Protein backbone atom coordinates (compact mmCIF):
# COMPACT_ATOMS: atom_id res chain seq x y z
CA UNK A 1 0.00 0.00 0.00
CA UNK A 2 1.11 3.55 -0.77
CA UNK A 3 2.17 5.04 2.57
CA UNK A 4 1.95 8.65 1.43
CA UNK A 5 -0.61 10.29 3.71
CA UNK A 6 -3.40 12.19 1.92
CA UNK A 7 -5.49 12.99 5.02
CA UNK A 8 -3.82 13.42 8.40
CA UNK A 9 -6.02 13.92 11.48
CA UNK A 10 -4.47 14.65 14.86
CA UNK A 11 -6.27 15.10 18.19
CA UNK A 12 -9.52 15.98 16.45
CA UNK A 13 -12.22 16.96 18.92
CA UNK A 14 -15.80 17.90 18.12
CA UNK A 15 -18.14 19.07 20.86
CA UNK A 16 -21.80 20.01 20.52
CA UNK A 17 -22.98 21.75 23.69
CA UNK A 18 -22.02 19.46 26.54
CA UNK A 19 -21.67 16.38 24.31
CA UNK A 20 -18.27 15.29 23.00
CA UNK A 21 -18.98 13.58 19.67
CA UNK A 22 -15.38 13.05 18.52
CA UNK A 23 -12.85 12.70 21.33
CA UNK A 24 -9.25 13.54 20.32
CA UNK A 25 -8.86 11.00 17.53
CA UNK A 26 -5.82 10.42 15.31
CA UNK A 27 -6.35 9.01 11.81
CA UNK A 28 -4.35 8.70 8.59
CA UNK A 29 -5.82 8.02 5.16
CA UNK A 30 -3.20 6.95 2.64
CA UNK A 31 -3.11 8.18 -0.93
CA UNK A 32 -5.10 5.90 -3.24
CA UNK A 33 -6.70 3.79 -0.50
CA UNK A 34 -10.32 3.37 0.54
CA UNK A 35 -10.67 3.70 4.30
CA UNK A 36 -14.05 2.81 5.79
CA UNK A 37 -15.26 4.27 9.08
CA UNK A 38 -17.82 2.02 10.75
CA UNK A 39 -19.80 2.23 13.96
CA UNK A 40 -23.31 2.44 15.35
CA UNK A 41 -25.68 5.21 14.26
CA UNK A 42 -25.05 8.51 15.99
CA UNK A 43 -21.40 7.99 16.92
CA UNK A 44 -20.11 10.80 14.69
CA UNK A 45 -19.00 9.01 11.53
CA UNK A 46 -20.55 11.59 9.19
CA UNK A 47 -19.41 14.39 11.49
CA UNK A 48 -15.82 13.59 10.56
CA UNK A 49 -16.54 13.94 6.83
CA UNK A 50 -18.29 17.27 7.48
CA UNK A 51 -15.06 18.57 8.97
CA UNK A 52 -13.05 17.20 6.04
CA UNK A 53 -15.19 18.91 3.40
CA UNK A 54 -15.51 22.21 5.27
CA UNK A 55 -19.12 22.00 6.44
CA UNK A 56 -18.18 21.94 10.11
CA UNK A 57 -15.35 23.55 12.06
CA UNK A 58 -13.70 21.27 14.63
CA UNK A 59 -13.61 22.25 18.28
CA UNK A 60 -9.88 21.55 18.35
CA UNK A 61 -7.22 19.51 16.63
CA UNK A 62 -5.35 19.45 13.35
CA UNK A 63 -6.51 18.27 9.92
CA UNK A 64 -4.07 18.21 7.02
CA UNK A 65 -5.34 17.36 3.53
CA UNK A 66 -2.77 16.87 0.77
CA UNK A 67 -0.21 18.81 2.77
CA UNK A 68 -2.50 21.71 3.70
CA UNK A 69 -3.74 22.48 7.21
CA UNK A 70 -7.43 23.11 6.57
CA UNK A 71 -8.76 24.01 10.01
CA UNK A 72 -8.15 27.73 9.47
CA UNK A 73 -9.41 27.89 5.88
CA UNK A 74 -11.69 30.73 4.78
CA UNK A 75 -14.40 30.14 2.16
CA UNK A 76 -12.13 31.03 -0.76
CA UNK A 77 -9.55 28.46 0.34
CA UNK A 78 -12.30 25.87 0.77
CA UNK A 79 -13.63 26.57 -2.73
CA UNK A 80 -10.17 25.88 -4.13
CA UNK A 81 -9.65 22.59 -2.29
CA UNK A 82 -13.20 21.44 -3.08
CA UNK A 83 -12.24 21.46 -6.75
CA UNK A 84 -10.33 18.28 -5.88
CA UNK A 85 -13.02 16.66 -3.69
CA UNK A 86 -16.06 14.62 -4.63
CA UNK A 87 -18.92 13.74 -2.27
CA UNK A 88 -21.47 10.94 -2.61
CA UNK A 89 -24.34 11.69 -0.24
CA UNK A 90 -26.48 9.22 1.68
CA UNK A 91 -29.67 10.23 -0.15
CA UNK A 92 -27.97 10.99 -3.48
CA UNK A 93 -28.92 14.70 -3.15
CA UNK A 94 -29.56 15.08 -6.87
CA UNK A 95 -30.99 18.39 -8.05
CA UNK A 96 -34.60 17.65 -9.00
CA UNK A 97 -34.69 20.52 -11.49
CA UNK A 98 -31.69 19.23 -13.47
CA UNK A 99 -31.51 16.29 -15.84
CA UNK A 100 -29.16 13.39 -15.14
CA UNK A 101 -26.64 15.01 -17.48
CA UNK A 102 -27.05 18.36 -15.75
CA UNK A 103 -26.48 16.76 -12.35
CA UNK A 104 -23.30 14.99 -13.46
CA UNK A 105 -22.02 18.19 -15.08
CA UNK A 106 -22.84 20.38 -12.08
CA UNK A 107 -19.35 20.45 -10.55
CA UNK A 108 -17.72 21.00 -13.93
CA UNK A 109 -19.95 24.00 -14.59
CA UNK A 110 -19.47 25.29 -11.04
CA UNK A 111 -15.68 25.13 -10.82
CA UNK A 112 -14.30 25.06 -14.36
CA UNK A 113 -14.75 26.94 -17.62
CA UNK A 114 -14.83 24.19 -20.24
CA UNK A 115 -16.27 23.94 -23.75
CA UNK A 116 -19.74 22.37 -23.77
CA UNK A 117 -18.56 19.55 -26.04
CA UNK A 118 -15.89 18.60 -23.49
CA UNK A 119 -18.43 18.61 -20.67
CA UNK A 120 -20.88 16.51 -22.68
CA UNK A 121 -18.16 13.98 -23.52
CA UNK A 122 -17.10 13.74 -19.87
CA UNK A 123 -20.70 13.23 -18.72
CA UNK A 124 -21.29 10.51 -21.32
CA UNK A 125 -18.05 8.73 -20.34
CA UNK A 126 -18.93 8.70 -16.63
CA UNK A 127 -22.52 7.57 -17.14
CA UNK A 128 -21.20 4.72 -19.23
CA UNK A 129 -18.71 3.82 -16.48
CA UNK A 130 -21.47 3.58 -13.85
CA UNK A 131 -23.67 1.49 -16.14
CA UNK A 132 -26.12 4.21 -17.20
CA UNK A 133 -25.26 5.09 -20.80
CA UNK A 134 -27.65 7.33 -22.70
CA UNK A 135 -29.57 8.55 -19.64
CA UNK A 136 -28.49 12.21 -19.87
CA UNK A 137 -32.02 13.52 -20.57
CA UNK A 138 -33.82 11.62 -17.79
CA UNK A 139 -34.98 13.50 -14.69
CA UNK A 140 -34.19 12.31 -11.15
CA UNK A 141 -37.88 11.54 -10.55
CA UNK A 142 -37.63 8.88 -13.27
CA UNK A 143 -34.80 7.01 -11.54
CA UNK A 144 -34.78 4.17 -9.03
CA UNK A 145 -32.83 4.51 -5.78
CA UNK A 146 -29.90 2.54 -7.16
CA UNK A 147 -29.80 4.63 -10.34
CA UNK A 148 -29.75 7.83 -8.28
CA UNK A 149 -26.78 6.49 -6.31
CA UNK A 150 -24.92 5.77 -9.53
CA UNK A 151 -25.63 9.25 -10.87
CA UNK A 152 -24.37 10.65 -7.57
CA UNK A 153 -21.17 8.65 -7.99
CA UNK A 154 -20.73 9.90 -11.57
CA UNK A 155 -21.28 13.49 -10.39
CA UNK A 156 -18.67 13.11 -7.64
CA UNK A 157 -16.09 11.80 -10.12
CA UNK A 158 -16.78 14.36 -12.86
CA UNK A 159 -14.28 16.89 -11.51
CA UNK A 160 -11.48 14.29 -11.47
CA UNK A 161 -11.15 14.50 -7.68
CA UNK A 162 -8.14 13.26 -5.78
CA UNK A 163 -10.42 12.55 -2.77
CA UNK A 164 -13.97 11.19 -2.60
CA UNK A 165 -16.13 11.07 0.52
CA UNK A 166 -18.90 8.47 0.60
CA UNK A 167 -21.61 9.03 3.22
CA UNK A 168 -23.65 5.81 3.61
CA UNK A 169 -23.64 5.24 -0.19
CA UNK A 170 -25.58 1.94 0.02
CA UNK A 171 -28.20 3.09 2.54
CA UNK A 172 -31.71 1.99 1.59
CA UNK A 173 -30.61 -0.31 -1.23
CA UNK A 174 -31.38 -3.99 -1.64
CA UNK A 175 -28.47 -6.46 -1.28
CA UNK A 176 -27.92 -6.81 -5.03
CA UNK A 177 -27.73 -3.05 -5.63
CA UNK A 178 -25.63 -2.64 -2.49
CA UNK A 179 -23.03 -4.97 -3.96
CA UNK A 180 -23.28 -3.20 -7.35
CA UNK A 181 -22.49 0.17 -5.77
CA UNK A 182 -19.72 -1.35 -3.64
CA UNK A 183 -18.08 -2.88 -6.71
CA UNK A 184 -18.36 0.49 -8.49
CA UNK A 185 -16.58 2.21 -5.60
CA UNK A 186 -13.74 -0.29 -5.87
CA UNK A 187 -13.68 0.03 -9.67
CA UNK A 188 -13.45 3.84 -9.49
CA UNK A 189 -10.63 3.62 -6.94
CA UNK A 190 -8.67 1.30 -9.19
CA UNK A 191 -9.35 3.28 -12.38
CA UNK A 192 -8.72 6.78 -11.04
CA UNK A 193 -6.50 6.08 -7.99
CA UNK A 194 -8.71 8.27 -5.83
CA UNK A 195 -8.33 8.42 -2.08
CA UNK A 196 -11.68 7.48 -0.57
CA UNK A 197 -13.24 7.81 2.87
CA UNK A 198 -16.30 5.61 3.23
CA UNK A 199 -18.73 6.14 6.11
CA UNK A 200 -21.04 3.17 6.52
CA UNK A 201 -22.58 0.60 8.84
CA UNK A 202 -22.84 -1.93 5.99
CA UNK A 203 -20.16 -4.54 6.63
CA UNK A 204 -20.60 -6.39 3.33
CA UNK A 205 -19.95 -3.12 1.49
CA UNK A 206 -16.85 -2.56 3.64
CA UNK A 207 -15.51 -6.01 2.91
CA UNK A 208 -16.01 -5.48 -0.83
CA UNK A 209 -14.45 -2.06 -1.32
CA UNK A 210 -12.34 -1.03 1.70
CA UNK A 211 -8.60 -1.47 2.09
CA UNK A 212 -8.73 -0.66 5.79
CA UNK A 213 -11.52 -0.22 8.32
CA UNK A 214 -11.67 2.02 11.40
CA UNK A 215 -14.23 1.33 14.12
CA UNK A 216 -15.62 4.42 15.88
CA UNK A 217 -17.31 4.00 19.25
CA UNK A 218 -18.16 6.66 21.84
CA UNK A 219 -16.02 9.24 20.09
CA UNK A 220 -12.90 7.05 19.95
CA UNK A 221 -11.38 4.81 17.30
CA UNK A 222 -11.29 1.46 19.07
CA UNK A 223 -9.52 -0.41 16.26
CA UNK A 224 -8.17 0.20 12.77
CA UNK A 225 -6.92 -2.51 10.44
CA UNK A 226 -7.24 -4.37 7.18
CA UNK A 227 -10.46 -6.12 6.27
CA UNK A 228 -9.06 -9.44 7.50
CA UNK A 229 -7.83 -7.91 10.75
CA UNK A 230 -11.26 -6.46 11.47
CA UNK A 231 -13.04 -9.69 10.49
CA UNK A 232 -10.84 -11.59 12.94
CA UNK A 233 -10.78 -8.93 15.64
CA UNK A 234 -10.69 -9.96 19.30
CA UNK A 235 -11.95 -6.54 20.39
CA UNK A 236 -15.39 -7.16 21.97
CA UNK A 237 -16.86 -3.91 20.61
CA UNK A 238 -15.72 -4.67 17.06
CA UNK A 239 -16.82 -8.31 17.28
CA UNK A 240 -20.27 -7.32 18.50
CA UNK A 241 -20.75 -4.69 15.77
CA UNK A 242 -19.64 -6.74 12.77
CA UNK A 243 -21.71 -9.72 13.92
CA UNK A 244 -24.81 -7.68 14.72
CA UNK A 245 -24.73 -8.50 18.42
CA UNK A 246 -25.78 -6.19 21.21
CA UNK A 247 -22.70 -4.98 23.07
CA UNK A 248 -23.05 -4.92 26.84
CA UNK A 249 -20.21 -3.11 28.54
CA UNK A 250 -20.90 -4.66 31.93
CA UNK A 251 -19.99 -8.03 30.44
CA UNK A 252 -16.56 -6.73 29.49
CA UNK A 253 -15.50 -4.98 32.69
CA UNK A 254 -12.95 -7.64 33.60
CA UNK A 255 -15.11 -9.31 36.24
CA UNK A 256 -15.85 -12.31 34.03
Amino acid sequence: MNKEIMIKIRQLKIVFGDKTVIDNIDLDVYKGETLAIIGPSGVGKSTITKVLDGLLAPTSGSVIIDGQEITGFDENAWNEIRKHMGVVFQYSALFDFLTVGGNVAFGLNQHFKLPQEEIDAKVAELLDLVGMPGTEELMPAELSGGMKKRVGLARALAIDPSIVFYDEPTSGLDPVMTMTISKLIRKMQQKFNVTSLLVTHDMESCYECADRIAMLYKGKIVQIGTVEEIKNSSNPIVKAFINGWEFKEEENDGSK
Side-chain angles (χ1 to χ4, degrees):
M1 183 186 295
N2 189 328
K3 290 297 183 181
E4 181 181 346
I5 298 173
M6 179 63 83
I7 299 172
K8 184 177 183 178
I9 296 172
R10 292 294 181 269
Q11 294 297 291
L12 179 66
K13 188 169 188 175
I14 301 169
V15 179
F16 297 132
D18 59 357
K19 182 179 181 183
T20 299
V21 179
I22 301 298
D23 191 7
N24 294 318
I25 68 166
D26 293 344
L27 187 67
D28 292 332
V29 185
Y30 300 123
K31 186 174 183 179
E33 82 163 333
T34 296
L35 175 71
I37 299 179
I38 62 171
S41 297
V43 296
K45 302 187 299 295
S46 295
T47 304
I48 295 173
T49 63
K50 287 178 182 176
V51 170
L52 295 177
D53 62 15
L55 298 178
L56 178 69
T59 305
S60 61
S62 170
V63 179
I64 297 171
I65 298 179
D66 200 14
Q68 300 180 78
E69 171 62 68
I70 56 93
T71 47
F73 271 11
D74 60 18
E75 196 56 30
N76 288 333
W78 272 114
N79 286 336
E80 281 302 308
I81 201 169
R82 285 185 187 125
K83 291 179 182 179
H84 309 287
M85 292 178 173
V87 183
V88 179
F89 298 96
Q90 180 174 358
Y91 299 109
S92 305
L94 300 183
F95 298 109
D96 291 338
F97 58 90
L98 292 177
T99 63
V100 165
N103 268 282
V104 176
F106 183 81
L108 293 172
N109 289 321
Q110 189 88 348
H111 296 300
F112 307 97
K113 293 181 179 178
L114 299 171
Q116 190 60 47
E117 316 85 75
E118 190 173 332
I119 291 175
D120 291 345
K122 183 76 172 177
V123 168
E125 176 192 2
L126 284 166
L127 286 173
D128 187 53
L129 273 173
V130 299
M132 292 184 59
T135 58
E136 284 90 338
E137 298 306 315
L138 293 180
M139 300 301 292
E142 299 176 80
L143 306 179
S144 68
M147 293 170 77
K148 287 178 181 178
K149 299 276 189 180
R150 284 186 274 171
V151 173
L153 178 54
R155 180 177 63 184
L157 293 167
I159 60 173
D160 293 325
S162 53
I163 298 171
V164 178
F165 301 121
Y166 297 95
D167 186 5
E168 300 282 6
T170 60
S171 176
L173 299 180
D174 63 58
V176 173
M177 188 50 65
T178 290
M179 194 51 58
T180 298
I181 296 297
S182 301
K183 288 180 182 295
L184 271 174
I185 292 172
R186 175 63 86 183
K187 177 181 176 183
M188 296 303 109
Q189 176 204 17
Q190 292 170 343
K191 183 174 178 63
F192 299 110
N193 195 38
V194 293
T195 303
S196 304
L197 189 67
L198 168 67
V199 168
T200 186
H201 59 264
D202 187 325
M203 293 313 302
E204 290 306 315
S205 181
C206 276
Y207 297 156
E208 176 63 34
C209 60
D211 296 299
R212 292 188 302 144
I213 300 172
M215 171 84 191
L216 189 67
Y217 184 74
K218 290 192 173 182
K220 299 280 192 181
I221 292 176
V222 296
Q223 186 176 356
I224 184 167
T226 65
V227 169
E228 286 306 310
E229 286 168 344
I230 295 298
K231 279 184 176 180
N232 298 303
S233 175
S234 59
N235 184 299
I237 300 171
V238 177
K239 285 175 70 175
F241 182 79
I242 67 175
N243 289 292
W245 303 336
E246 182 181 358
F247 176 69
K248 297 181 179 179
E249 291 188 69
E250 63 271 18
E251 294 180 359
N252 295 276
D253 62 2
S255 61
K256 295 186 179 181

